[in-house]
Amino acid sequence: MSVSIELERFFGSRRIDLVRFAALQLRDPSLAEDVVQETLIAAMQSVDKFEGRASLRTWIYSILKRKIIDALRSRRWEISVTQLSSSDEDVDNLDKLFNERGFWATEHNPHRWTEPEESLEQQQFWLIFERCIHHLPTRMAQVFSMRELLGLETEEICNELAISTSNCLVILHRARIGLRLCLEKDWFT
């Protein structure tokens, strides 16, 4: 079977997953559709360059990640100053999780997760994970996604979002705490 036919089949069966992944990063369903369409066009135009060293899925997702990063860069000027900082309420809620010595408060002590490998393989987990990311403040979800899902380095994220390294690290820390709490509540308990 030719790579072009495999590519068409892949996009036919996985388009929804690609759009969902893009929408999670971009927080704009319309833009996510456009980015997936650009990914399809780029893949079709460079199908002859696909050498098969990686799976077709990996190759397409790498194109999609680059298209998402391009979209984030082009939208950079649209980010308002109010999106750069967390609200006082968000900070207060996070501070309540720890005691005065900086340890987990007893009532918020994280539960031990059981069999995480099995959980990661379950599609339901990813639906809940996606919902948990959507419950994070927009900037927090964006920074987490850029770092952990798109694989950007901290310096790249800081340059793209015009934030300091320390701010980026704080946002990542808070995002991980928020995701952990959400996953413990909605998945692991």
Side-chain angles (χ1 to χ4, degrees), residues 85-171:
S85 61
S86 299
S87 70
D88 290 338
E89 183 180 322
D90 291 336
V91 173
D92 290 342
N93 288 338
L94 291 175
D95 288 341
K96 292 175 186 176
L97 299 175
F98 303 96
N99 64 24
E100 61 281 347
R101 293 179 50 212
F103 295 103
W104 285 102
T106 306
E107 63 274 13
H108 298 293
N109 196 10
H111 302 288
R112 183 167 174 80
W113 294 357
T114 58
E115 303 177 25
E117 293 82 15
E118 288 180 26
S119 297
L120 291 175
E121 294 174 1
Q122 297 178 16
Q123 186 173 8
Q124 184 65 26
F125 171 83
W126 290 110
L127 295 174
I128 291 172
F129 180 81
E130 187 175 318
R131 188 172 68 217
C132 287
I133 285 183
H134 281 292
H135 281 85
L136 291 175
T138 302
R139 177 48 52 113
M140 210 176 274
Q142 185 179 30
V143 170
F144 178 83
S145 295
M146 291 173 81
R147 176 74 179 124
E148 301 301 337
L149 301 176
L150 297 177
L152 295 179
E153 295 296 326
T154 304
E155 186 177 330
E156 292 175 288
I157 297 168
C158 293
N159 289 338
E160 288 304 313
L161 302 179
I163 59 176
S164 69
T165 301
S166 60
N167 190 11
C168 182
L169 295 175
V170 167
I171 291 169

Side-chain angles (χ1 to χ4, degrees), residues 76-86 139 161-163 167:
R76 183 176 176 183
W77 61 272
E78 294 177 14
I79 297 172
S80 69
V81 173
T82 57
Q83 290 176 315
L84 293 175
S85 61
S86 299
R139 177 48 52 113
L161 302 179
I163 59 176
N167 190 11

Side-chain angles (χ1 to χ4, degrees), residues 44-103:
M44 294 299 279
Q45 288 175 342
S46 59
V47 72
D48 57 323
K49 296 177 184 171
F50 178 68
E51 297 174 356
R53 290 186 293 181
S55 71
L56 186 64
R57 179 185 187 278
T58 302
W59 182 66
I60 290 170
Y61 269 92
S62 69
I63 295 171
L64 177 60
K65 286 178 183 180
R66 285 193 298 275
K67 295 296 181 184
I68 290 169
I69 291 168
D70 290 346
L72 289 170
R73 286 180 177 149
S74 68
R75 278 191 347 177
R76 183 176 176 183
W77 61 272
E78 294 177 14
I79 297 172
S80 69
V81 173
T82 57
Q83 290 176 315
L84 293 175
S85 61
S86 299
S87 70
D88 290 338
E89 183 180 322
D90 291 336
V91 173
D92 290 342
N93 288 338
L94 291 175
D95 288 341
K96 292 175 186 176
L97 299 175
F98 303 96
N99 64 24
E100 61 281 347
R101 293 179 50 212
F103 295 103

